Amino acid sequence: MRRALLIAAAAGVLLLAGCGGGGKDSGGLTAHDRNAAQTVMNRLQNSNISFQLVSISNWVQSTPAACRVHVVNASLLKVYVFWIPWLEAEPYVWLNMSVTNDPRTSSFHLGTSETVLPSGRVSRNGRTVAPGSIDTTLLSLGGPAQAKKGREILKAHAGDVFTKPGASCQVLQNGALRLLPNT
Amino acid sequence: MAACALAAAGLVVALVVTHNGTGSSALPTTGPWRPLTVTRPQVPIIGGGIPVDIDPQIVRNDFSATLFPLPGTNHYRLEISNISNLGVITSLQWYPPQGVHIVKVLGSSAGHCIASGLTGFGGSQFPTIVLYPNILCDGLAMKAPTCTCLGNGGAVSISFVTDSALTGGQGDLRMRTATLLFRRIPSFLK
């Protein structure tokens, strides 16, 4: 009780003094928006979602290439996580989440796309398999064309998560999601 | 300005007094709360190339599959069950063993399955050639198993015809899309 009173009093003085807190950052989020978004994301901790965020990273041997939160409203977030695999034998993976305070009204859709076909690397025109190629090498050796393909797939499944208001996020070692500051 | 400083100081004091605001949504930053990292094996790169094959450290095990011969030459039925810890599997892809081609998909017990593959080999010179033929099934709703140890997830059976006998293995099954469950699917029973 004493704790709540102290915080409320101090916060009240700050607000009355017009000392910020209502202003938006470069991502269009207020401090209150950020706090609310982080609270919603915290509800994913210790669930299958946090488990899979780590599991998928281990599967494709890469940390997410993109993690983005779009704040639809105070109780609904769209969260998008995209992985570019380390090896050609592993797929691109993305997770589209609509997260609310209630798991029953949240949704979590996983998608995958092969980087190459079994036992062969798709050539630049996307229609043939490069002669002599194998799928047991690093995806990065595919060069700029492969990197472009990765960016295209990333954008194709992102929907509107890169629009404002929103921010980047980070997957932590325990599978929790942390909202990052907008720069 | 002075009021702001005073108020800010008050807030800092309040947070310190209240043990750093344990009611906040902010996350810790140490131990398991550090950013995720992934350990990869050391790979020798010589002249821009890798002299060894690198296989994934983790091979997914989302399905159990059984192949049955059907009446007719090279006619088969593949029965696939969801044994993954993801949740509901909504689409999958099956690649036959090397050297075997899908001639026709006869049908499936659920969803929509078609013969798929890369077309357009050699531009428009070979319109009938399909490279890396496979069977793509979408519109599935293979329910999650109650435990990955029970293998009681949703199933689908696909009937198809190949151009040669399936004697060299069962091919390669890959999960394409899934709807993750919020609750963890256990891997053993208590």
Side-chain angles (χ1 to χ4, degrees):
Chain A
M1 187 63 187
R2 179 171 158 263
R3 173 187 308 175
L5 280 172
L6 276 167
I7 293 175
V13 172
L14 274 171
L15 281 173
L16 284 172
C19 301
K24 293 181 177 179
D25 63 18
S26 61
L29 293 177
T30 64
H32 178 266
D33 293 336
R34 299 185 62 81
N35 211 34
Q38 185 64 63
T39 301
V40 171
M41 289 199 296
N42 288 353
R43 296 186 194 280
L44 300 177
Q45 287 170 29
N46 303 316
S47 70
N48 189 39
I49 309 308
S50 57
F51 174 77
Q52 294 299 342
L53 286 169
V54 176
S55 176
I56 292 166
S57 300
N58 289 328
W59 167 30
V60 300
Q61 297 178 268
S62 284
T63 54
C67 181
R68 177 77 186 177
V69 177
H70 173 57
V71 178
V72 179
N73 58 48
S75 57
L76 175 60
L77 305 179
K78 285 185 182 176
V79 184
Y80 179 63
V81 187
F82 186 89
W83 288 264
I84 294 174
W86 185 51
L87 298 179
E88 288 187 345
E90 297 156 347
Y92 295 106
V93 182
W94 57 91
L95 183 54
N96 288 100
M97 302 182 256
S98 286
V99 190
T100 69
N101 282 319
D102 184 353
R104 290 170 299 183
T105 56
S106 299
S107 63
F108 312 96
H109 295 294
L110 183 72
T112 66
S113 173
E114 292 304 315
T115 54
V116 295
L117 294 168
S119 302
R121 185 187 303 168
V122 181
S123 63
R124 192 169 291 186
N125 65 11
R127 293 177 179 278
T128 57
V129 173
S133 69
I134 52 172
D135 66 357
T136 53
T137 190
L138 306 187
L139 189 67
S140 57
L141 294 185
Q146 188 74 49
K148 184 182 173 197
K149 179 182 174 183
R151 288 193 299 273
E152 287 171 353
I153 296 173
L154 189 158
K155 285 181 190 169
H157 299 280
D160 60 356
V161 294
F162 287 101
T163 59
K164 292 180 181 178
S168 296
C169 53
Q170 189 175 48
V171 179
L172 307 182
Q173 293 200 357
N174 59 3
L177 285 167
R178 172 182 285 139
L179 197 67
L180 295 177
N182 283 311
T183 51
Chain B
M1 188 66 185
C4 281
L6 183 64
L11 183 57
V12 168
V13 169
L15 289 173
V16 169
V17 168
T18 60
H19 299 95
N20 209 18
T22 49
S24 166
S25 60
L27 300 176
T29 55
T30 56
W33 301 95
R34 285 175 292 144
L36 182 67
T37 55
V38 170
T39 306
R40 295 167 173 167
Q42 292 289 324
V43 175
I45 297 181
I46 300 171
I50 299 173
V52 294
D53 288 352
I54 315 164
D55 290 316
Q57 286 180 323
I58 295 175
V59 177
R60 289 205 69 86
N61 195 20
D62 295 317
F63 303 101
S64 73
T66 311
L67 189 68
F68 297 94
L70 293 176
T73 306
N74 300 329
H75 283 54
Y76 297 94
R77 185 177 77 240
L78 185 63
E79 292 197 356
I80 306 164
S81 296
N82 177 5
I83 59 167
S84 85
N85 60 13
L86 293 170
V88 179
I89 291 178
T90 50
S91 67
L92 60 83
Q93 211 160 10
W94 180 69
Y95 292 90
Q98 289 282 334
V100 177
H101 291 78
I102 309 291
V103 174
K104 188 180 182 182
V105 175
L106 300 173
S108 63
S109 62
H112 180 60
C113 297
I114 57 168
S116 177
L118 286 178
T119 57
F121 177 67
S124 57
Q125 294 179 79
F126 311 104
T128 58
I129 291 182
V130 177
L131 290 174
Y132 291 89
N134 59 80
I135 296 176
L136 174 65
C137 295
D138 58 16
L140 301 172
M142 300 170 75
K143 72 178 178 68
T146 54
C147 173
T148 57
C149 57
L150 293 176
N152 61 353
V156 61
S157 66
I158 312 165
S159 303
F160 56 91
V161 184
T162 59
D163 67 344
S164 55
L166 284 172
T167 53
Q170 290 205 348
D172 192 7
L173 262 171
R174 299 187 182 189
M175 178 273 303
R176 286 277 75 94
T177 59
T179 300
L180 301 188
L181 290 193
F182 183 78
R183 64 167 174 78
R184 287 278 302 270
I185 300 170
S187 57
F188 60 90
L189 294 174
K190 290 179 182 174

